[in-house]
Amino acid sequence: MSLQCAHCYKSFSIAKVNDSRGKGLSVEVQCPHCAAWLGHNKYLSVVKIVGFYGGVIAAVVGYFVEGVTVITTPLIILAVIMVGLSHIMDHLQLIEAPENDPNTETHAK
């Protein structure tokens, strides 16, 4: 799987990531090209997880409980839409720019 840096826009493999910090949904990785720290949006990750498990639970209930398909079918459809949209929108974001970045330094004239 290839990731794209939000700072230098270069693609890199997950295997090339040397440094990471944080745990769980707060994990951040360092770009091997420009040393910028990148991470995912925590809100979109939570929406993706809730949509997935909500759809699975609704499917299981709809399969085993008789007469609730009128309720569970729309819930499954909404869960698939939630997971799809949050997955499309969930890109790496720039958390911390590199220290030696010439674009962030102020130059005195």
Side-chain angles (χ1 to χ4, degrees):
M1 181 177 168
S2 180
L3 301 174
Q4 185 178 17
C5 178
H7 182 67
C8 67
Y9 302 107
K10 294 182 181 177
S11 295
F12 59 93
S13 172
I14 294 175
K16 292 184 180 180
V17 172
N18 295 328
D19 294 328
S20 65
R21 62 184 179 191
K23 292 183 180 181
L25 297 178
S26 301
V27 70
E28 299 172 0
V29 296
Q30 191 172 29
C31 175
H33 301 291
C34 68
W37 286 96
L38 309 167
H40 286 282
N41 188 334
K42 295 172 199 158
Y43 173 73
L44 289 175
S45 298
V46 169
V47 168
K48 193 184 309 183
I49 291 169
V50 168
F52 175 78
Y53 286 113
V56 169
I57 291 169
V60 169
V61 168
Y63 184 77
F64 288 112
V65 178
E66 193 172 316
V68 294
T69 56
V70 175
I71 298 169
T72 57
T73 302
L75 290 177
I76 295 169
I77 293 170
L78 288 174
V80 169
I81 291 171
M82 281 176 53
V83 170
L85 288 177
S86 61
H87 183 69
I88 289 171
M89 295 171 54
D90 194 19
H91 298 287
L92 286 176
Q93 297 176 343
L94 181 65
I95 304 297
E96 183 179 325
E99 293 178 7
N100 58 357
D101 186 15
N103 295 333
T104 59
E105 294 178 9
T106 57
H107 298 285
K109 291 185 179 180

